[in-house]
Amino acid sequence: MRTLILSLLLLSNALFGVELESLINTALQKSPSLEVINARLAANKQSIDIADQFANPELSLVKNTLDASEAMSKTVLSLKQNIPYYSKRAKREDVAMAEDAVLKEQLRAAEAKLVERIKTEAYTIWELRELTNIIDEYINLTKRNITLYESYTSINSSQHMGIMKAELSLSDLKVQRTAIEAKIFQAYARLSALTAFRVEKLDIDLSIKSKPELERFRADLEYNPEIALKEKEIAKQNAKVALADVNNYPDVNVLAGYNYREKYDDYFSVGVGLSLPIYGTEDAKEERERALLLAKRSQKADTQLGVNAALESYYAVMLSSYKIYHIIQDDALPQVAHMFELSNTSISTGSDLFKYIDVLFDKLSLEKKSITAIANYNKAEAKIAELQGKLQ
């Protein structure tokens, strides 16, 4: 089934371009980095089963060197079985199950990070593609105006400097386009690596949405994978503390043996044994686990501060991009459009081409900043979505 989905996605990619949602879904199923964690989860399930098992019994055969006529001459077949102190097996199982919860949170954090990286690369491709489109428009426009201007200045050689400036500007546009093409190729390569299959076309459209609200973003931070992971690590450490505490109590070793004597009666022997925790080793191990528990709690508090700081940073980027976009679209571009109309009128009558090129490139600069603002807005939103643990 997974192979069929991938085949259909590759065909769609080649013919029409693939959508971002499909990319994300495929990556979550095929990513090798996620498969590593899934394999560790599968392995840990065996650890859970192992934790509840008794230790293997020990079987031994011992024969002494006394003559068979001696009463003490014997061959002993003995069996030894360790019986853990009450609840030790359950405590070991608790640790293994807590590790399972930690691995699941690591998987969720890795998935959220993968989705964010895919979105960022996709938004970069959109940004570069839009820059390419707009540069193409300006290349064509500059070419037309050079041709038009030459028709008006054919009898006036003093205006040729304006044509040379326009031609230099045209070369600069072509250089920019060539550099962007390389960046697009690199972005597609990175995106292909993230999604575990070759992406050649991407169907995506971005825009500036509503003004961001910090409190709304902060309300969804309760699902942050990093904080949840720290909580699971604390739960695991609590289980290890409980296990260390019960390890202060010794296990019981049950012993049973069959004693064979060639010239005397055989007999059975039974006994019990236990370790004596008189050197404080178990106490030291328990204190070590308690100290590590305090460290885990401090790490969680530090992670919480880091997540809050990251949220505010990404929010600031979103808000700045939102404001920049509206300043350009609502204020700057309408003014430049009027200047552009005036310059366009003057160029049609053979007037100074220098001013026209300056206005043209001012407009191009603003439009490029507008595109970058849209991309930055959406990239910051993707990073906030990662903080919230979202997978779409």
Side-chain angles (χ1 to χ4, degrees), residues 84-94 242-243 246 249:
Y85 182 80
Y86 172 75
S87 81
K88 270 191 182 181
R89 287 188 301 147
K91 293 292 190 295
R92 289 199 298 260
E93 188 176 17
D94 289 344
L243 177 60
V246 79
Y249 301 92

Side-chain angles (χ1 to χ4, degrees), residues 9-51:
L9 191 58
L10 288 172
L11 179 61
S12 174
N13 175 35
L15 296 177
F16 311 107
V18 63
E19 293 184 351
L20 180 58
E21 183 178 355
S22 299
L23 276 181
I24 291 173
N25 291 335
T26 303
L28 290 176
Q29 294 178 14
K30 289 181 57 62
S31 172
S33 61
L34 300 183
E35 287 297 329
V36 171
I37 302 177
N38 280 317
R40 291 169 59 191
L41 275 166
N44 192 68
K45 291 188 183 301
Q46 304 305 316
S47 298
I48 295 173
D49 293 337
I50 293 169

Side-chain angles (χ1 to χ4, degrees), residues 320-334 366:
S320 174
S321 299
Y322 176 88
K323 291 180 177 179
I324 289 171
Y325 175 80
H326 281 285
I327 288 172
I328 294 172
Q329 294 294 326
D330 301 340
D331 299 332
L333 282 181
L366 287 172

Side-chain angles (χ1 to χ4, degrees), residues 62-90:
V62 179
K63 178 176 175 57
N64 61 34
T65 59
L66 293 175
D67 188 85
S69 62
E70 298 289 339
M72 293 298 293
S73 175
K74 58 184 177 180
T75 301
V76 181
L77 180 67
S78 61
L79 181 69
K80 176 183 175 182
Q81 176 64 60
N82 176 272
I83 307 296
Y85 182 80
Y86 172 75
S87 81
K88 270 191 182 181
R89 287 188 301 147

Side-chain angles (χ1 to χ4, degrees), residues 155-282:
I155 60 172
N156 187 355
S157 59
S158 63
Q159 298 295 330
H160 286 175
M161 284 294 293
I163 296 176
M164 292 176 62
K165 177 179 173 62
E167 290 175 341
L168 287 174
S169 300
L170 181 60
S171 297
D172 180 61
L173 289 172
K174 291 178 178 178
V175 169
Q176 291 183 43
R177 193 188 193 290
T178 301
I180 290 174
E181 285 177 347
K183 291 180 180 179
I184 291 176
F185 182 84
Q186 293 169 348
Y188 268 115
R190 292 192 298 267
L191 185 60
S192 297
L194 290 171
T195 56
F197 78 96
R198 185 168 182 79
V199 183
E200 297 179 350
K201 296 180 182 178
L202 181 63
D203 184 10
I204 183 173
D205 188 28
L206 298 181
S207 63
I208 291 281
K209 302 169 189 157
S210 60
K211 185 176 182 179
E213 298 177 12
L214 180 59
E215 292 306 315
R216 180 173 61 85
F217 292 142
R218 186 176 282 122
D220 291 335
L221 278 186
E222 60 181 301
Y223 304 109
N224 177 261
E226 291 299 324
I227 295 175
L229 176 59
K230 294 303 178 185
E231 290 173 349
K232 298 302 182 185
E233 289 177 347
I234 289 172
K236 176 185 174 181
Q237 194 59 37
N238 273 318
K240 294 175 76 171
V241 168
L243 177 60
D245 178 59
V246 79
N247 278 339
N248 280 292
Y249 301 92
D251 298 336
V252 175
N253 292 308
V254 178
L255 306 142
Y258 178 76
N259 299 263
Y260 168 75
R261 295 189 297 180
E262 186 176 341
K263 296 186 178 181
Y264 296 90
D265 293 337
D266 300 339
Y267 64 91
F268 287 95
S269 60
V270 295
V272 294
L274 52 84
S275 59
L276 299 176
I278 61 176
Y279 297 114
T281 303
E282 287 74 16

